[in-house]
Amino acid sequence: MTKKRKMVLKNSFVYFAITVITVAMLFPFLWMISTSLKESVEMFSADPTFLPKQSSLQNYLTLFKEYNFLTYFKNSLIVSTCTTVVALLFATFLAYGISRFKFRGNAAISSLLILTQMFPLPLIILTIYITFVKLGLYDSRAGLVIAYCTFALPFCTMMLKSYFDGLPIELEESAAIDGCSPFGTIFRIVIPLAAPSIVAMGLFAFILSWQELMMSMTLIHTGSLRTMPVAITMMVGVRNIMWGPLMAASVVVSVPVVIVFIYFQKYLIGGMTMGAVKG
Amino acid sequence: MKSIRMKRSRQSRNMYAYILIAPGLLLLTLIMIYPLVRGAISSFFTQQAASNHFDEFVGIRYYKELLRDPIFQTSFGNSIRYTVIVVAAQYVIGLAIALLLNQDFRGRGIYRSLILIPWVVPGVSAAMTWKWMFDSQNGIINQILMKLGLITQNVDWLGSQSSALYAVMVTSVWKAIPFVAIVLLATLQQVDQGLYAAVKIDGGSAFHEFRYITLPGIKKISITTILLETIWTFNQFDLVFTMTKGGPANRSMIVPVYTYLTSFSFFKTNKAAAIGVISLLIVSIPAILYIYYNNKEDE
């Protein structure tokens, strides 16, 4: 009886503690959504309520009409999608090459991939900026896609390599014996097998590009090519900050990512922990 | 005869490997290795802003200049403080959450998903949301503290010299906790449950369980996670840049933001490169340790 009581007590402590922590962790995200739905009178009330008393989409209308946010949304979508495709294309072959072939410099490349993740970005971007101006890639979405490969490519390669390391090589060997060409093996055997993993890495690359700020701010000059994170930082004026549209913009950037992540979390958490543990 | 054929097939295999890795490696070299090396070299030369040519070799002039630069010194101290406090706080809180989520209770999966959200929220959105919450006039944090009677008048968290950096730290910790918690949780779930039963049979307390089974079980992953977080936090740019831009009066300036501003607001590219090289040297300490521990783990 006492043992059972102890269990109940322990359980209710766990529930209580985890609920308090979860609410605290979620509060800023929910507050962002709630603020974006409030009208300005309510937003600046001295006695705020958690749920809007009168929800309205006014802030979103302002965001898309006056702040031109649809253009930025479109730019972010284009750049992130292209980065994902380009990074995956290069990463799949690179990861497969490192995983399956023992050649000189193999280990060095793996270490290099990890190290590139740790380079201070401002140092890299100095040269990228100068080089891109010279090559005519400055102020273009294509240039931004290439620049985004600095984080997307090493990341995807590392993750895919550790995935390929775990795939049994026998299937590929028997395909080769059956006369499948090396590239045929990749396209017919490896990529279909690794598809879930490749999709997960693609989502990661997409999410990382979607929220990138520093390079986009540096390499894009024209307003109509701007991506969302940069547009958001530019909404902060010198004196007045329009919190309503600003929170609406934050929601527009966050919510797709949050939905995608929650929906695909099984694959993504695997990749996330694997990347930290194995590198 | 056989050996020749084998040699040839090995050669063609190698050839094939090089074809596979060449494009990716070439791209990496162009966008990462070359910019890094050229950036490092440029810290020893003078150069016209945004020009492609070095003018004059000046040795360590920019490094000497940095030693006398008070803003650099502030940003350096701030970066160290920022990194140490943020990493320590996120590890302790992350571990606590991981231990809670490792208990067997109904709805665990849902809690785990929900706790992940701060990590997923893009940096710019997180920064803006906390900026709004910290707002001196209408921020919810002041309103709550006022209701609780903890403050008597509104505090300008991000605008005051003493609190700005700490306010950004709160945001940074909030955002990184889920990563630590989930990675530790994944490892906790691999700890042999039999060991806990053994401690129970021997009459050990919950503290013994934690001290002799849980802690050794998560030691390695803790070291690698802390090293990784140290690197990420030191290099973090978005939060400080969006929330304070290093202000007021540079009191929340950190090294990455100062590097960026030196280059793209003050147009001192070579000086910025020198700061970049110093950051690289600092970050390489945890980076080398990380690779060392990571390889050790594989053995």
Side-chain angles (χ1 to χ4, degrees):
Chain A
M1 192 61 193
T2 49
K3 204 174 174 186
K4 201 176 168 191
R5 234 166 116 185
K6 217 172 145 189
M7 273 298 284
V8 172
L9 208 70
K10 190 188 159 200
N11 255 340
S12 33
F13 169 74
V14 169
Y15 267 117
F16 176 73
I18 198 71
T19 307
V20 169
I21 291 173
T22 309
V23 169
M25 290 291 282
L26 280 185
F27 180 79
F29 178 66
L30 299 174
W31 191 242
M32 167 175 89
I33 297 175
S34 161
T35 306
S36 76
L37 295 170
K38 285 178 180 170
E39 280 173 6
S40 48
V41 186
E42 213 191 320
M43 208 178 322
F44 300 121
S45 120
D47 207 15
T49 50
F50 182 66
L51 291 174
K53 283 181 200 128
Q54 232 181 347
S55 9
S56 95
L57 291 175
Q58 189 54 49
N59 291 323
Y60 291 88
L61 288 177
T62 312
L63 183 70
F64 285 104
K65 272 194 189 139
E66 285 169 35
Y67 287 91
N68 229 348
F69 222 64
L70 197 63
T71 312
Y72 309 138
F73 188 91
K74 207 181 70 198
N75 289 334
S76 280
L77 200 63
I78 295 172
V79 170
S80 306
T81 311
C82 294
T83 305
T84 307
V85 173
V86 172
L88 280 184
L89 200 68
F90 282 94
T92 306
F93 291 112
L94 184 56
Y96 187 76
I98 303 171
S99 169
R100 283 292 185 258
F101 299 93
K102 296 286 158 251
F103 52 89
R104 205 176 296 163
N106 187 311
I109 296 177
S110 300
S111 293
L112 184 77
L113 284 174
I114 300 177
L115 277 178
T116 54
Q117 297 286 285
M118 301 164 181
F119 289 172
L121 204 53
L123 180 58
I124 305 233
I125 213 167
L126 294 172
T127 309
I128 291 186
Y129 172 77
I130 294 170
T131 315
F132 275 19
V133 169
K134 202 178 155 201
L135 294 177
L137 286 167
Y138 173 70
D139 205 21
S140 78
R141 283 182 291 224
L144 200 56
V145 169
I146 296 172
Y148 279 2
C149 286
T150 50
F151 53 83
L153 178 60
F155 183 83
C156 291
T157 310
M158 267 157 43
M159 300 287 206
L160 283 173
K161 180 198 171 283
S162 45
Y163 183 76
F164 288 149
D165 285 346
L167 278 185
I169 199 166
E170 285 77 16
L171 269 173
E172 294 152 45
E173 280 173 354
S174 56
I177 289 166
D178 290 346
C180 202
S181 76
F183 279 100
T185 313
I186 292 189
F187 282 107
R188 296 212 187 115
I189 312 283
V190 180
I191 292 180
L193 267 178
S197 204
I198 294 177
V199 170
M201 290 318 114
L203 286 173
F204 260 123
F206 187 91
I207 291 172
L208 289 174
S209 324
W210 182 256
Q211 54 181 285
E212 203 285 330
L213 172 68
M214 196 201 297
M215 295 209 256
S216 182
M217 191 165 70
T218 316
L219 299 175
I220 296 291
H221 177 73
T222 309
S224 61
L225 294 176
R226 203 170 284 154
T227 57
M228 279 193 291
V230 183
I232 287 182
T233 59
M234 290 185 139
M235 285 169 75
V236 177
V238 185
R239 279 265 153 247
N240 271 330
I241 301 180
M242 303 302 290
W243 289 112
L246 191 56
M247 287 300 107
S250 301
V251 171
V252 172
V253 177
S254 315
V255 165
V257 181
V258 171
I259 291 173
V260 164
F261 207 96
I262 298 291
Y263 192 75
F264 291 102
Q265 58 170 315
K266 204 176 82 190
Y267 303 103
L268 294 173
I269 288 176
M272 175 175 151
T273 50
M274 189 170 72
V277 187
K278 286 277 176 194
Chain B
M1 190 62 195
K2 198 184 167 200
S3 77
I4 292 172
R5 200 186 302 152
M6 264 180 74
K7 200 175 169 188
R8 191 169 292 158
S9 101
R10 197 186 304 143
Q11 264 171 358
S12 81
R13 253 180 84 80
N14 269 347
M15 193 66 184
Y16 176 52
Y18 290 131
I19 293 174
L20 278 176
I21 65 165
L25 218 52
L26 196 70
L27 184 60
L28 267 183
T29 312
L30 283 177
I31 58 177
M32 297 223 77
I33 313 295
Y34 166 70
L36 186 82
V37 173
R38 193 192 176 282
I41 293 172
S42 78
S43 71
F44 300 104
F45 287 86
T46 58
Q47 176 184 11
Q48 308 241 297
S51 121
N52 207 26
H53 297 285
F54 298 144
D55 291 336
E56 186 196 346
F57 178 76
V58 290
I60 56 169
R61 183 206 281 177
Y62 293 109
Y63 294 89
K64 278 188 190 155
E65 207 174 286
L66 285 175
L67 285 178
R68 280 178 280 118
D69 179 353
I71 307 176
F72 175 71
Q73 284 160 11
T74 312
S75 69
F76 189 83
N78 281 344
S79 269
I80 302 291
R81 208 162 5 135
Y82 185 80
T83 309
V84 170
I85 296 177
V86 167
V87 172
Q90 74 197 30
Y91 180 76
V92 171
I93 303 172
L95 177 61
I97 294 178
L99 289 170
L100 279 171
L101 285 175
N102 196 35
Q103 306 297 317
D104 198 16
F105 60 91
R106 202 182 294 174
R108 193 164 71 162
I110 297 168
Y111 281 108
R112 195 184 65 170
S113 302
L114 291 177
I115 285 223
L116 260 177
I117 287 179
W119 189 69
V120 185
V121 170
V124 180
S125 299
M128 284 306 174
T129 305
W130 280 90
K131 199 177 159 82
W132 162 232
M133 286 168 50
F134 276 124
D135 187 58
S136 60
Q137 297 305 311
N138 304 93
I140 186 77
I141 291 174
N142 272 339
Q143 281 166 335
I144 289 174
L145 292 176
M146 204 82 116
K147 284 234 166 68
L148 294 173
L150 292 171
I151 52 171
T152 48
Q153 56 181 12
N154 282 339
V155 179
D156 191 0
W157 299 101
L158 289 166
S160 114
Q161 298 199 4
S162 53
S163 62
L165 187 64
Y166 293 95
V168 185
M169 281 184 196
V170 171
T171 313
S172 179
V173 171
W174 172 76
K175 206 165 158 3
I177 286 172
F179 179 81
V180 180
I182 297 298
V183 170
L184 289 178
L185 177 65
T187 314
L188 282 174
Q189 286 173 341
Q190 287 162 9
V191 174
D192 184 2
Q193 295 302 308
L195 292 174
Y196 289 107
V199 171
K200 277 222 174 67
I201 290 166
D202 292 344
S205 66
F207 173 75
H208 284 112
E209 281 183 13
F210 181 72
R211 172 70 187 78
Y212 295 105
I213 299 173
T214 310
L215 269 190
I218 59 168
K219 192 182 152 201
K220 269 181 189 160
I221 186 76
S222 296
I223 294 173
T224 47
T225 309
I226 287 175
L227 289 171
L228 212 54
E229 285 291 352
T230 304
I231 297 162
W232 289 343
T233 310
F234 186 86
N235 281 336
Q236 203 171 64
F237 171 84
D238 293 15
L239 298 183
V240 168
F241 186 83
T242 313
M243 291 174 80
T244 66
K245 278 213 170 60
N250 296 313
R251 288 299 284 273
S252 67
M253 188 62 82
I254 54 170
V255 173
V257 175
Y258 188 51
T259 319
Y260 187 85
L261 293 178
T262 305
S263 171
F264 294 102
S265 293
F266 316 140
F267 303 108
K268 293 181 177 163
T269 318
N270 309 67
K271 186 180 167 190
I275 310 176
V277 170
I278 294 173
S279 326
L280 185 67
L281 291 177
I282 296 169
V283 167
S284 65
I285 300 167
I288 289 166
L289 284 173
Y290 173 79
I291 290 179
Y292 168 77
Y293 277 105
N294 215 29
N295 290 340
K296 207 168 129 189
E297 216 167 343
D298 287 346
E299 280 157 16

